[in-house]
Amino acid sequence: MYELVFWKYLEEVYLNHHEVYESISEEQASIEGLELLPVQVILNRIASVFSKWEKVDDKSWKNNNGVGAFQVRMTPQSIKIDCYGTQGNTMDTLVNIMEEFKCPLYDPQVPERYDEMRE
């Protein structure tokens, strides 16, 4: 499994990325300093882009014409996508969708957040 995690800071706020990730992983109800996201709009956008994939449930897709599957988990402030055997170009597509909503990727495997600011 490979995790892709996304959130957006409030203006003028910049926190420790790994601590934010840990809070998201612990499914904290609210994290001070993060914006609320249009999670249903984002989920609809993912569903639209991956309309040719089989929708396993309302938050999971699998590729019946190739390899890979993913599941979207959300809080009002974050999107976490668990990728299973998913190819890099599929993960890039997911990252690009989230960039449309100005939510940069945090890659906990590295760990690094890919935005214009650095700690």
Side-chain angles (χ1 to χ4, degrees):
M1 184 198 46
Y2 202 95
E3 276 184 318
L4 307 174
V5 186
F6 307 89
W7 66 84
K8 190 173 179 180
Y9 290 119
L10 291 170
E11 197 168 316
E12 304 293 321
V13 173
Y14 199 68
L15 305 172
N16 178 290
H17 304 315
H18 192 72
E19 289 176 10
V20 171
Y21 165 73
E22 287 177 348
S23 296
I24 289 169
S25 295
E26 294 166 5
E27 297 180 7
Q28 288 189 7
S30 181
I31 302 170
E32 193 172 328
L34 300 189
E35 281 190 29
L36 292 175
L37 299 177
V39 290
Q40 193 57 52
V41 174
I42 291 169
L43 194 59
N44 291 344
R45 178 72 176 128
I46 291 170
S48 173
V49 170
F50 288 92
S51 62
K52 292 185 176 161
W53 285 41
E54 179 185 342
K55 196 168 182 182
V56 179
D57 60 35
D58 62 336
K59 296 177 186 155
S60 302
W61 288 262
K62 76 176 188 177
N63 186 357
N64 284 333
N65 298 316
V67 296
F70 63 90
Q71 177 181 34
V72 179
R73 292 188 282 158
M74 353 178 222
T75 71
Q77 297 173 307
S78 67
I79 301 287
K80 186 188 235 186
I81 304 174
D82 298 326
C83 299
Y84 303 94
T86 308
Q87 294 180 335
N89 61 345
T90 300
M91 289 190 275
D92 289 344
T93 300
L94 291 163
V95 170
N96 291 339
I97 291 169
M98 294 307 299
E99 285 179 357
E100 293 173 21
F101 296 93
K102 300 191 180 356
C103 290
L105 168 66
Y106 176 75
D107 184 339
Q109 289 82 201
V110 175
E112 187 170 340
R113 181 167 161 99
Y114 296 92
D115 61 5
E116 67 283 351
M117 301 186 77
R118 301 280 179 222
E119 285 184 289

